[in-house]
Amino acid sequence: MSELVAGARTAPSSCQWSAAWRILCVRLDTIGDVIMTGPAIRALREQAPHRRITLLTSHAGAKAGRLLSEVDEVLVYEAPWMKATPPRTGPEEDLAFARRLREERFDAAVIFTVYSQTPLPAALLCHLAGIPLRLAHCRENPYQLLTDWVEEPEPQSFVRHEVQRQLDLVAAVGGATSDRRLSLSVPSEACNRVEALLAQRIDPAKPWVVLHPGATAASRRYPAEQFAVVAARLVRELGCQVLFTGSETERELVQSIQEQMEAPSQSLAGMLSLGTLAALLCQAPLLISNNTATVHIAAAVGTPVVDLYALTNPQHTPWMVPRRVLFHDVPCKFCYKSTCPEGHHHCLRSVPPDEVVQAVAEMLRDHREVRVSVRREPPLVHPGH
């Protein structure tokens, strides 16, 4: 039994949980967080294979939730206690959603959070919805809001990877899996679209890599001018074809890097859904990226990663895939900030392009397996490493 289970303040009701048929998994964060919760949801599925699992998440998280094979249904709720939710003028929407959840007659709810989040608003929502079993990590005494309270040990006692944190949570009520890898089920139509896009842009006889230079938080972005140096050297020194990815809002960033690198490259920025991005990464020999959701998508399809990892937090490194995690150690590490509080951004800016190029060369040399086709749903796309 893990340290976390031993610290639980309420007796784990494993028998009750094993009998629970309709499970609500609450993960109100975004794409990468939902993907990293996948193994814990799998553990709940394997505890009772007959059960029906519903994921309650944000609009962004729903994109990933619909690619998790363990999830039967996705509900979208923009919770007023989450940072990205637009302002409300009153509680009517929240009261109506609580009534909707009550009508679903869930047997149990698992509330997944990062260590800095309180589960209590979500616990109250589930309590008002009449869900009889409610599990979460919690720093303070939740009294009646949680039936199964796992005391919050982070970061005072130890720090874990986000995936392990959620696996430990469900272990408190008997959830376990022998397969702790991330996974996504890639739609066949996404695979077909990616094959067509690659046929127009990539020479299969030459090495190629995907380079993803964006991230939602400024503190997690490797400088564009340094990305340009890296990309140019990959083309000129390693003979790589460079294919950029990014969201619609990152088109301008990608274009600026392409202009600065003064070497041929291709871009799919703003052209890919989450499913087609997963299909693309399934084909890619290697991803070079900031620490963002794209890294976790790559890990979920078994693609090696060179991760330019800002030291904003230690919990989100690539999970169970070949990887090189590059950073510059700084006294101000683990700030958990979206913008660098010191203003110097040394944890990323001080990673020299030489180090990135060397990491890419080593990864391409050590992981030469060629992905001749993308596996389609079903079955799940799992890492093959």
Side-chain angles (χ1 to χ4, degrees):
M1 185 170 288
S2 71
E3 294 175 83
L4 188 59
V5 174
R9 287 291 185 89
T10 55
S13 47
S14 297
C15 292
Q16 290 175 281
W17 279 84
S18 295
W21 178 61
R22 291 180 59 83
I23 303 289
L24 181 68
C25 292
V26 182
R27 187 75 210 236
L28 295 168
D29 301 284
T30 55
I31 292 170
D33 304 289
V34 169
I35 293 173
M36 288 187 285
T37 309
I41 298 175
R42 183 181 308 129
L44 291 170
R45 169 74 71 194
E46 292 182 12
Q47 182 186 26
H50 64 280
R51 67 179 24 149
R52 181 173 178 81
I53 294 179
T54 298
L55 174 67
L56 176 60
T57 187
S58 65
H59 279 289
K63 298 175 185 177
R66 295 186 181 106
L67 299 182
L68 295 180
S69 181
E70 296 86 357
V71 171
D72 298 299
E73 181 185 19
V74 176
L75 296 179
V76 173
Y77 175 57
E78 297 294 354
W81 58 89
M82 300 301 289
K83 178 173 63 174
T85 301
R88 298 259 212 280
T89 57
E92 292 77 18
E93 184 176 340
D94 308 297
L95 294 171
F97 195 80
R99 288 192 293 271
R100 179 184 176 185
L101 289 183
R102 192 174 190 89
E103 291 169 0
E104 296 282 347
R105 302 180 67 84
F106 290 107
D107 300 310
V110 182
I111 301 164
F112 296 105
T113 59
V114 299
Y115 88 88
S116 59
Q117 294 171 334
T118 174
L120 294 183
L124 177 59
L125 179 70
C126 293
H127 171 65
L128 294 174
I131 303 175
L133 297 174
R134 300 175 300 279
L135 168 70
H137 293 113
C138 196
R139 200 172 304 281
E140 61 223 272
N141 192 328
Y143 298 103
Q144 298 179 54
L145 291 184
L146 294 176
T147 60
D148 294 273
W149 168 25
V150 178
E151 197 167 11
E152 178 61 79
E154 297 187 71
Q156 289 81 3
S157 299
F158 55 85
V159 173
R160 296 160 293 185
H161 195 282
E162 180 70 13
V163 175
Q164 190 60 53
R165 170 183 172 81
Q166 311 310 343
L167 285 167
D168 286 345
L169 177 63
V170 299
V173 293
T177 179
S178 60
D179 185 358
R180 301 183 304 121
R181 297 173 296 176
L182 305 184
S183 64
L184 290 173
S185 184
V186 181
S188 295
E189 58 270 22
C191 300
N192 294 335
R193 173 162 166 70
V194 162
E195 287 172 358
L197 289 171
L198 289 178
Q200 299 167 3
R201 292 167 173 80
I202 295 296
D203 181 350
K206 298 179 181 178
W208 63 284
V209 296
V210 171
L211 199 156
H212 188 90
T216 53
S219 60
R220 291 188 280 112
R221 296 182 203 135
Y222 191 58
E225 63 273 16
Q226 288 172 250
F227 258 132
V229 173
V230 169
R233 290 186 57 185
L234 294 180
V235 174
R236 293 171 182 153
E237 297 174 22
L238 301 186
C240 283
Q241 300 168 94
V242 174
L243 180 60
F244 287 94
T245 57
S247 66
E248 179 63 39
T249 60
E250 291 164 345
R251 276 182 186 263
E252 188 175 333
L253 169 65
V254 168
Q255 289 171 357
S256 72
I257 294 172
Q258 289 183 289
E259 291 168 1
Q260 292 177 68
M261 64 184 282
E262 297 181 344
S265 65
Q266 297 287 336
S267 174
L268 292 176
M271 298 174 61
L272 303 178
S273 66
L274 183 62
T276 49
L277 177 58
L280 173 69
L281 293 175
C282 236
Q283 293 275 28
L286 181 69
L287 169 70
I288 306 151
S289 177
N290 297 315
N291 178 40
T292 189
T294 307
V295 166
H296 308 303
I297 298 167
V301 297
T303 300
V305 178
V306 172
D307 190 351
L308 288 147
Y309 197 88
L311 294 180
T312 55
N313 76 307
Q315 294 101 333
H316 294 167
T317 53
W319 179 256
M320 296 185 71
V321 286
R323 63 198 177 276
R324 288 290 301 275
V325 179
L326 306 181
F327 58 87
H328 178 74
D329 202 6
V330 289
C332 53
K333 63 186 174 185
F334 310 150
C335 65
Y336 293 91
K337 301 295 185 182
S338 295
T339 57
C340 177
E342 300 296 324
H344 51 57
H345 208 201
H346 283 172
C347 64
L348 277 184
R349 187 173 291 278
S350 296
V351 177
D354 279 351
E355 188 174 342
V356 184
V357 174
Q358 181 180 349
V360 171
E362 291 171 355
M363 292 290 282
L364 289 174
R365 180 195 66 209
D366 295 341
H367 303 282
R368 292 182 181 276
E369 58 269 30
V370 178
R371 299 165 189 268
V372 295
S373 65
V374 177
R375 288 167 284 182
R376 290 163 169 78
E377 61 175 10
L380 280 174
V381 175
H382 276 307
H385 307 279

